[in-house]
Every structure is written in structure tokens, then in C-alpha cells.
């Protein structure tokens, strides 16, 4: 059975390209290593770049009110090749907790479920991800999609609890009774059994780096900031689903505004269930007109471009694929949506990887080449020295030996200077890191916390939040300025050292903070909505407030840590350079001494030494050329991007692959 699946070949090509880039990066690192060209931080940069390329993910989230067909659409797009419905999709509320589908190599196939009771602990999902004991684990057999589907029924489980417990879990609000779940005859309310589910499963698409996030239909009370602030901002794209039979309802609009409006990810609007618009009293043209009208109204209401609204029927698509019925698949119009996903998302991922690889390789090449050039310069000096010995007496060699020894002694003075310089640099790095420390974040968050605790909540909280963001932006700026000053200091000292000791030390440009600033802006955009009037009630709950602040702090910490790491790497590269040149220079003195000693002992040795140094220079020349060529090749592969083959020629493993 062939499945017309536009996303598969694209993802496949992207994954192959990433693999080949990672392979090339490993080859380059190996080549550097073989030729002793790699300092430790450079090796680290190369390795982390390789890991990043290999581990790159495409995260697609499905968001909507309940029963709009999220789970069914995921089944149709991603899992029809398993031959069955994988995620439970039934009328009414089905998926009760966020479900993350991914494949992490090295971990066994399994379903991990986080009990709802963990909401009491006040820990964020990310903190709990590390606490393995908090999760219930169900091992999965990758050869058995049926067992996967059975295990997944867990995500629909609920349990009945008294309202007091629901209140403790943050699922019952006395302030906002309209959103509370109904009480049953025994005075109990139904709450989800699980807070979060992750599935590690070697499905071919997941193995290619796709991560799918299915969310439960959302209502105001059941949600935590986790989804909006933790999970969704991590997604690269979101599909927002509506029922074509209902259009945009009030609660659809609430979900859209709360979870998707203002987020930076790419959004696709799916007008699902178009099969329900079929009407025996209308002809095909009239039905088509009504579908188009619905799309236009939807685009207008959500203020989305019309070409981002896709009418589909997930049910027909799944059915068509399961039965190999091309006509039904075409009628579902799913291929148009998939084509758009592939055309928009894959190039985005590619650009991110291309940029990382091109920049990373440039840095590596610059480091390695500058070291090679330095060695070449030393060789040239030595060669001049040796050639000058031609026809000279043994006395002359002795004088030269004395000079080399004196030079070497003189050179050792540079060690003290470099050590002192490194001490200063370490202190500067520590100062800069203090600007980006978690203590700093905690201190900056304090005024926001007090504003949130104040009686007249929100008058000051929004202001305090904006001030917090400003202060943190300022902290990034301070760190940037401090690093600029460190660079100036290093540059001035390097210049002196270069002049005095013949080093060729150079400082790279400090890392850009622009990316981190953008990240901060996106956090600001995501969180500011919680200070709107409509959120006042929710913010009044102290459990919600605590979770909110915790999530915010943890996000900010990740951001600052990553900025701090960038700066640290830059510092490390500068010290590694000093270290490497020091080592090279000592080796060089030793070589010069040894060759002069040998010349002293044996006639004819002089010409042999000249020849050897000339040979070494040729070797360095060809190494520089090789390094350039290899880096260039890698950049070309990185820029070219994946080669997408015609879907007909892709030999895809249909059905679930077993992992060896
Ligand atoms: N007629 C029709 N029914 C559909 C379509 N897509 C989904 N459904 C049905 O709608 C119901 C709800 O679908 P789900 O996939 O469970 O919806 P959901 O958005 O995941 O809902 P929650 O998990 O409750 O948030 C199921 O019975 C589906 O079979 C469609 O395109 N046409
Ligand atoms: Mg669902």
C-alpha cells in the first residue's frame, strides 16, 4: 500500500541530512584530532554542535477545545501506517492530559504517566521529568501497535474525588464556579487521573525527530500555566482545530486567545469535520461554497491569513489511509494541510541547523587555521636561522645554541604574564556570570512576588512584571558590556604579548546576546497575558500564583544559564588559545635546540634539518588547505540542505519499525 504522505519524505530527507552533517562534523573533529589541531574547548564546541544537529527536533502541538478531533488528526497524519487508530478518539472528552509522543534513542519504548496528585507538590513538569520515581511506567512492545493503542487508553482515565481534593489539586475554584466540573449524585467530581503522559516509541516519524504534542480539550479551570508557558512555547508549530459544523465558538476563541494568540510559533488553523457539511439537499458546488465561506469567516475571526486555514476531515483521512482508499483520502483534503506543514516547517528547521553549523564551523576553522599559521611562522624563522648557518663554523652553531637558550629563558617570562592575565580573565568571567546568576533572577523576581501578594493584586503586578523583564534585559546588556570590556582588555594585552614574545594571539568576537534577548521577549509576550483583567481571578489563587512564579523563574533560569554558557565558552576559547600557543612555542624551542645540537655533532645534518623544516612547512601549507577545504565542504552541505526525493521513490518502512 502506498501512502501519499507529503511530510514523510521531507522529514526523512531532513533526518538524513542531519545524519550526514553529524557524520561530516565527526569526520572533521577526527581529522583535527589526528593532526593535533583541536584544543579542548574547540573539541567541546565541535561535539556539542554535532549533538545539537543529531538531536534536533520538530515539535508540533495540537490545540483545541475538546472533541474537535485533535487526536483523530494526529492518528491520520502520523500514525495511519500502523494500520489502526493509535490515540483514543471518541465523542465527548477523551484525552484528559497532555500527551507527548517522541522517540529518545537509548531509552526503552514505554509510556510514562505522571499522576495528577503531583500537582500538590508545586513542582513544575520539567522538574518532575527528572524525578523518575514520580511517574508510572508502562513498557511497550514496539512490534505491537495494538498494545500501544491499548496502553494509550490510560490517557483517557479519570477519577472521582470530593471537591475539597479537587480544590487542592487546583481543579476546583470557589471563585469561578462556572468552570467547575459537575458534582455527581455522590457529591464527587471527575478529575483527570494523570497530569502528563510521555510516550517513547520508535515510530519512523518520531525516530526522525518529530515530537507530537496532543493536548486535552481545555477549559479555564483545568489548565496550569505549564501548557501555555512551558510546553507550547517549546513547540515549533501549532495546529488549532475547529469543528466545521460549529465554526468558531466562544470557548474555541478563549482557547485560541489564551494559548495561541501572541505566541511566536507558526500556527495552522484546521477546520475539521468537513464531512459533516455534506447535505443530500445541496449539490457539490453549494457544499464547496459553504466550506469556503466557513474558512473565510474563521480566518477573519481569528485574524489569520486565509491560506493558513485548512478545511479537512480527519476521520475520512484516517479511514482512507487505513483502507488504502485514495479517493477518500483526497476527499479529506488532508494532503493540502500536510503539504503546507512540510513546506513551511521543514525549511524553518533547516535554516536553524544551517545557521548553527555554518557559524560553528567558521569558529573552528578560524581557531585551527590561526594556530597552523603561527606554527608556519615559527618554521620560517627557524629556516632562516638554519640557512644562515650554511658555510659557517662550529662556533657559530654554538653561539646560536646559546641564543636559542637565552630566547627560551626570556620566553618563560611570558608564562608569568599569561598566568596573571588568566587570573584577571577568570575574575572577569565570574563577575559577568554573577550578572546572569540565579540569585540575580531571584532578587529581581522579589518585587513581582510582593506585588502578586499585595491585596490589590494586579494594579502593581503588571507593572512589576514589566519592570522585571526590563531589569533582566538590562542584565543581559550589562553582561554584554562587561564581555566587551574583557575583550578590549584581552586584545590590548595580546597585542603586547604578540609584539614582545612573537605570539599570534587574537580574540574572537564575543557571542551575541540577541538570541537570548529574543527569548526573553518571547517569555514576556507569553506571560504578560496573565496580568490581564480576565486572569485576575485565576491569579488570586495562591496555588496558581506559586506555580506561575515557579514556571517563570525556571524559564528565566534556563535562559540566563544558556547566555552564561555562551560567554563561558568564549572565555574558554581565549584561554585555550594562550595555552596552545605556549605549548607550541615550547615545543618549537626544543626542536630548534635539538636540531642545532645535531648539526653540531654531524656534518651534513644541517642540510637534512633544512630539508626537514621545509617539508614541515609544506605539510602545514597542505594542512591549512585541507582544513579550508573540509570546512568549506561542510558549509556547502549545511547550506544546501536536505535533498527531498520524489515521494514515489522513497522506500519507506511502512508499519512500525522494530528497534534492534
Ligand atoms: N465526522 C467527523 N468526526 C470526526 C472527525 N475528526 C474527529 N471526529 C470525531 O470526533 C470525536 C472527537 O475526536 P477526538 O480526536 O477525540 O477529539 P479531541 O480534540 O482529541 O478531543 P479531546 O481529546 O476530548 O480534547 C471522535 O468521535 C472522532 O472520531 C471528522 O473529521 N469528521
Ligand atoms: Mg484527544
Amino acid at each position: 500500500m502506498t501512502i501519499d504522505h507529503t511530510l514523510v519524505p521531507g522529514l526523512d530527507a531532513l533526518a538524513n541530512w542531519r545524519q550526514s552533517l553529524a557524520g561530516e562534523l565527526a569526520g572533521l573533529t577526527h581529522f583535527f584530532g589526528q593532526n593535533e589541531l583541536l584544543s579542548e574547548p574547540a573539541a567541546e564546541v565541535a561535539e556539542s554542535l554535532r549533538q545539537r544537529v543529531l538531536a534536533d527536533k520538530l515539535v508540533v502541538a495540537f490545540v483545541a477545545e475538546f472533541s474537535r478531533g485533535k487526536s483523530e488528526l494526529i492518528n491520520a497524519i502520523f500514525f495511519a501506517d500502523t494500520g489502526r487508530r493509535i490515540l483514543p478518539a471518541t465523542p465527548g472528552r477523551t484525552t484528559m492530559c497532555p500527551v507527548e509522543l517522541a522517540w529518545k534513542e537509548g531509552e526503552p519504548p514505554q509510556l510514562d504517566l505522571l499522576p495528577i496528585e503531583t500537582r500538590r507538590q508545586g513542582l513544575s513538569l520539567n522538574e518532575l521529568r527528572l524525578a523518575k520515581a514520580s511517574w508510572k511506567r508502562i513498557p511497550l512492545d514496539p512490534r505491537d501497535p495494538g498494545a500501544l493503542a491499548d496502553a494509550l487508553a490510560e490517557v483517557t482515565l479519570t477519577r472521582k474525588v470530593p471537591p475539597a481534593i479537587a480544590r487542592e489539586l487546583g481543579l476546583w475554584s470557589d471563585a469561578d464556579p462556572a468552570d467547575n466540573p459537575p458534582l455527581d449524585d455522590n457529591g464527587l467530581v471527575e478529575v483527570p487521573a494523570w497530569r502528563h503522559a510521555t510516550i517513547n516509541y520508535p515510530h519512523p516519524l518520531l525516530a526522525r525527530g518529530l515530537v507530537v504534542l496532543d493536548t486535552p480539550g481545555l477549559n479555564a479551570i483545568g489548565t496550569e500555566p505549564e501548557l501555555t508557558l512551558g510546553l507550547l512555547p517549546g513547540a515549533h508549530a501549532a495546529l488549532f482545530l475547529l469543528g466545521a459544523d460549529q465554526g468558531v465558538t466562544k470557548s474555541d476563541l478563549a482557547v485560541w486567545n489564551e494559548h495561541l494568540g501572541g505566541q511566536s510559533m507558526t500556527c495552522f488553523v484546521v477546520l475539521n469535520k468537513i464531512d459533516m457539511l455534506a447535505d443530500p439537499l445541496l449539490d457539490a458546488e453549494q457544499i464547496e461554497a459553504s466550506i469556503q465561506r466557513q474558512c473565510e469567516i474563521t480566518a477573519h475571526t481569528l485574524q489569520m491569513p486565509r491560506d493558513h486555514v485548512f478545511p479537512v476531515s480527519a476521520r475520512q483521512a484516517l479511514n482512507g489511509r487505513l483502507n488504502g482508499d485514495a479517493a477518500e483520502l483526497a476527499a479529506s483534503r488532508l494532503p493540502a494541510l500536510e503539504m503546507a506543514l512540510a513546506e513551511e516547517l521543514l525549511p524553518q528547521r533547516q535554516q536553524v541547523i544551517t545557521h548553527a553549523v555554518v557559524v560553528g564551523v567558521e569558529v573552528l576553522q578560524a581557531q585551527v587555521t590561526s594556530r597552523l599559521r603561527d606554527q608556519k611562522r615559527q618554521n620560517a624563522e627557524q629556516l632562516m636561522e638554519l640557512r644562515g648557518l650554511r658555510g659557517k663554523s662550529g662556533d657559530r652553531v654554538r653561539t646560536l645554541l646559546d641564543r636559542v637558550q637565552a630566547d627560551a629563558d626570556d620566553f618563560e617570562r611570558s608564562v608569568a604574564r599569561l598566568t596573571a592575565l588568566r587570573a584577571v580573565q577568570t575574575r572577569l568571567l565570574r563577575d559577568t556570570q554573577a550578572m546572569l546568576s540565579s540569585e540575580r533572577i531571584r532578587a529581581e523576581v522579589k518585587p513581582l512576588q510582593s506585588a502578586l501578594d499585595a491585596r490589590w493584586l494586579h494594579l502593581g503586578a503588571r507593572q512589576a512584571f514589566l519592570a522585571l523583564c526590563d531589569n533582566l534585559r538590562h542584565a543581559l546588556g550589562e553582561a554584554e558590556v562587561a564581555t566587551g570590556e574583557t575583550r578590549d582588555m584581552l586584545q590590548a594585552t595580546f597585542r603586547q604579548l604578540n609584539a614582545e614574545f612573537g605570539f599570534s594571539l587574537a580574540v574572537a568576537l564575543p557571542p551575541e546576546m540577541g538570541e537570548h534577548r529574543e527569548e526573553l521577549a518571547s517569555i514576556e509576550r507569553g506571560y504578560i497575558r496573565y496580568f490581564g483583567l480576565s486572569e485576575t481571578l485565576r491569579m488570586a489563587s495562591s496555588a496558581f500564583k506559586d506555580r506561575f512564579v515557579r514556571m517563570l523563574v525556571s524559564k528565566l533560569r534556563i535562559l540566563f544559564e544558556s547566555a552564561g554558557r555562551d560567554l563561558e565558552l568564549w572565555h574558554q576559547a581565549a584561554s585555550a588559545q594562550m595555552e596552545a600557543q605556549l605549548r607550541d612555542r615550547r615545543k618549537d624551542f626544543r626542536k630548534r635546540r635539538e636540531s642545532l645540537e645535531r648539526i653540531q655533532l654531524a656534518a651534513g645534518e644541517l642540510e637534512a634539518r633544512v630539508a626537514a623544516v621545509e617539508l614541515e612547512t609544506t605539510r602545514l601549507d597542505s594542512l591549512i588547505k585541507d582544513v579550508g577545504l573540509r570546512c568549506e565542504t561542510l558549509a556547502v552541505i549545511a547550506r544546501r540542505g536536505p535533498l527531498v526525493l520524489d515521494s514515489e521513490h522513497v522506500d519507506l518502512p511502512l508499519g512500525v519499525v522494530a528497534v534492534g
Side-chain angles (χ1 to χ4, degrees):
M1 173 174 63
T2 20
I3 290 185
D4 171 22
H5 206 315
T6 39
L7 250 185
V8 177
L11 263 177
D12 206 29
L14 191 69
N16 286 342
W17 173 67
R18 288 195 287 110
Q19 281 283 350
S20 72
L21 271 178
E24 294 288 333
L25 274 170
L28 185 68
T29 321
H30 181 72
F31 168 78
F32 286 163
Q34 263 183 336
N35 292 288
E36 293 177 33
L37 296 174
L38 216 53
S39 61
E40 227 166 76
E44 234 171 73
V45 169
E47 179 55 19
S48 78
L49 188 59
R50 196 180 72 86
Q51 292 291 348
R52 177 164 172 198
V53 167
L54 271 183
D56 190 75
K57 299 273 182 235
L58 173 66
V59 184
V60 183
F62 289 69
V63 182
E65 247 303 6
F66 75 97
S67 213
R68 299 296 186 263
K70 297 176 292 284
S71 303
E72 197 75 316
L73 186 60
I74 293 173
N75 286 326
I77 299 182
F78 300 114
F79 301 113
D81 60 322
T82 59
R84 53 172 304 144
R85 179 181 270 149
I86 290 290
L87 289 170
T90 58
R93 262 175 208 289
T94 307
T95 313
M96 296 303 290
C97 66
V99 184
E100 234 176 308
L101 298 118
W103 172 240
K104 275 194 218 105
E105 197 111 38
E107 281 178 30
Q110 65 205 11
L111 169 63
D112 280 302
L113 297 154
L114 185 64
I116 194 77
E117 288 76 26
T118 57
R119 281 175 75 127
R120 283 209 193 99
Q121 301 167 10
L123 290 174
S124 76
L125 175 63
N126 271 341
E127 288 165 308
L128 283 164
R129 278 183 205 270
L130 305 173
K132 294 270 178 250
S134 304
W135 298 68
K136 174 180 170 184
R137 171 156 303 174
I138 301 177
L140 297 169
D141 179 355
R143 284 160 307 200
D144 187 355
L148 172 66
D150 291 346
L152 274 167
E154 286 278 340
V155 307
T156 66
L157 291 191
T158 56
R159 68 181 47 145
K160 300 258 180 148
V161 296
I165 303 273
R167 191 182 298 119
E168 272 177 44
L169 295 172
L171 298 169
W172 181 276
S173 159
D174 297 321
D176 210 359
D179 278 331
N180 287 342
L183 286 175
D184 72 3
D185 293 344
N186 303 319
L188 299 176
V189 295
E190 195 174 26
V191 299
W194 310 109
R195 172 174 169 189
H196 192 86
T198 64
I199 295 153
N200 198 43
Y201 199 74
H203 181 276
L205 283 172
L206 304 179
R208 289 176 182 114
L210 176 77
V211 175
V212 178
L213 180 63
D214 189 11
T215 62
L218 305 154
N219 67 341
I221 183 82
T223 51
E224 317 193 39
E226 208 120 80
L227 198 58
T228 309
L229 303 173
L231 290 169
L232 289 183
H236 302 110
L239 273 72
F240 178 64
L241 278 80
L242 298 159
D245 50 334
Q246 292 168 293
V248 188
T249 66
K250 194 169 158 232
S251 59
D252 286 327
L253 203 56
V255 171
W256 170 260
N257 286 332
E258 179 169 349
H259 295 279
L260 296 175
Q263 296 277 15
S264 49
M265 89 269 276
T266 314
C267 282
F268 299 83
V269 177
V270 178
L271 200 57
N272 190 30
K273 309 195 185 183
I274 50 167
D275 55 298
M276 291 177 77
L277 299 182
D279 181 341
L281 301 181
L282 297 179
D283 63 25
E285 230 168 79
Q286 287 168 311
I287 293 172
E288 181 60 29
S290 99
I291 291 177
Q292 293 309 327
R293 204 168 41 247
Q294 282 274 37
C295 288
E296 265 146 39
I297 295 171
T298 303
H300 180 75
T301 313
L302 301 180
Q303 295 182 324
M304 282 290 282
R306 166 65 186 85
D307 63 358
H308 269 61
V309 180
F310 295 86
V312 307
S313 165
R315 178 178 281 177
Q316 271 183 318
L318 180 61
N319 208 36
R321 284 207 164 123
L322 292 184
N323 298 320
D325 182 342
E328 192 169 15
L329 179 61
S332 79
R333 307 192 195 194
L334 186 60
L337 170 63
E338 288 172 342
M339 183 93 77
L341 287 173
E343 279 175 0
E344 228 173 290
L345 298 183
L346 301 178
Q348 272 176 17
R349 277 334 288 154
Q350 183 211 318
Q351 275 169 17
V352 171
I353 297 169
T354 298
H355 181 74
V357 171
V358 168
V359 171
V361 168
E362 258 170 26
V363 169
L364 283 174
Q365 182 181 1
Q367 280 184 14
V368 166
T369 312
S370 107
R371 190 156 168 204
L372 284 171
R373 292 232 164 86
D374 187 49
Q375 288 175 15
K376 232 185 96 177
R377 234 164 20 105
Q378 300 307 319
N379 266 4
E381 273 175 31
Q382 203 188 346
L383 208 54
M384 237 167 51
E385 200 172 86
L386 289 175
R387 285 189 183 131
L389 281 178
R390 282 174 172 152
K392 298 275 161 50
S393 67
D395 280 352
R396 175 91 182 112
V397 177
R398 241 185 325 275
T399 324
L400 260 187
L401 250 176
D402 289 344
R403 209 178 81 196
V404 170
Q405 188 56 49
D407 281 357
D409 292 344
D410 200 34
F411 172 77
E412 286 305 316
R413 283 190 303 117
S414 75
V415 179
R417 296 267 293 277
L418 285 177
T419 313
L421 180 61
R422 272 223 298 275
V424 175
Q425 198 201 349
T426 310
R427 211 190 57 233
L428 290 173
L429 173 62
R430 253 204 319 269
D431 291 351
T432 315
Q433 277 176 330
M435 296 168 189
L436 302 175
S437 66
S438 38
E439 287 78 38
R440 167 94 184 237
I441 295 177
R442 257 199 300 279
E444 299 285 3
V445 166
K446 279 238 165 69
L448 171 65
Q449 251 159 341
S450 327
L452 282 172
D453 291 338
R455 221 171 118 67
W456 294 107
L457 176 77
H458 302 313
L459 293 181
R462 189 185 156 88
Q463 233 49 41
F465 176 71
L466 291 173
L468 164 69
C469 293
D470 266 350
N471 291 348
L472 294 181
R473 238 187 307 278
H474 193 67
L476 283 176
E478 278 171 36
E480 209 166 31
V481 170
T483 311
E485 283 167 7
T486 306
R487 176 170 193 259
D488 293 345
M489 189 277 292
L490 283 177
Q491 214 157 22
T493 319
F494 279 3
R495 217 175 285 131
Q496 283 174 10
L497 289 168
N498 289 350
E500 212 170 318
F501 299 102
F503 287 117
S504 56
L505 297 165
V507 207
L509 278 178
E512 302 240 353
M513 292 285 111
E515 204 181 301
H516 304 297
R517 233 179 244 120
E518 263 168 41
E519 173 73 19
L520 181 58
S522 125
I523 294 177
E524 185 173 6
R525 276 198 303 276
Y527 278 67
I528 191 76
R529 77 188 67 197
Y530 284 91
F531 298 99
L533 266 183
S534 58
E535 298 292 328
T536 312
L537 274 178
R538 185 156 6 151
M539 267 297 192
S541 134
S542 72
F544 186 90
K545 227 161 22 196
D546 284 353
R547 267 203 297 273
F548 177 87
V549 170
R550 219 186 309 266
M551 287 289 301
L552 177 64
V553 169
S554 111
K555 282 239 120 184
L556 294 172
R557 212 158 43 204
I558 292 171
L559 184 142
F560 269 36
E561 266 168 17
S562 128
R565 211 165 24 247
D566 282 359
L567 294 178
E568 188 175 343
L569 274 178
W570 177 80
H571 272 263
Q572 273 175 3
S575 353
Q577 201 190 142
M578 296 186 229
E579 196 105 7
Q581 294 205 9
L582 205 61
R583 222 178 13 244
D584 286 352
R585 198 52 63 84
R586 280 192 179 130
K587 205 160 96 193
D588 192 57
F589 278 122
R590 204 184 55 237
K591 271 202 316 213
R592 274 164 72 188
R593 212 162 29 227
E594 280 169 6
S595 78
L596 287 170
E597 279 161 2
R598 249 179 280 167
I599 292 164
Q600 230 179 1
L601 290 179
E605 187 64 27
L606 174 60
E607 289 314 313
R609 295 319 303 160
V610 170
V613 177
E614 279 170 349
L615 198 68
E616 174 64 9
T617 309
T618 321
R619 191 184 75 91
L620 288 174
D621 271 334
S622 83
L623 258 180
I624 292 177
K625 228 182 266 157
D626 263 12
V627 168
L629 208 65
R630 278 166 186 267
C631 290
E632 199 48 47
T633 312
L634 227 166
V636 168
I637 301 175
R639 286 209 180 88
R640 191 194 57 206
L643 293 172
V644 182
L645 297 175
D646 193 324
S647 58
E648 299 207 342
H649 302 299
V650 180
D651 188 17
L652 266 175
L654 293 176
V656 174
V657 280
V659 271

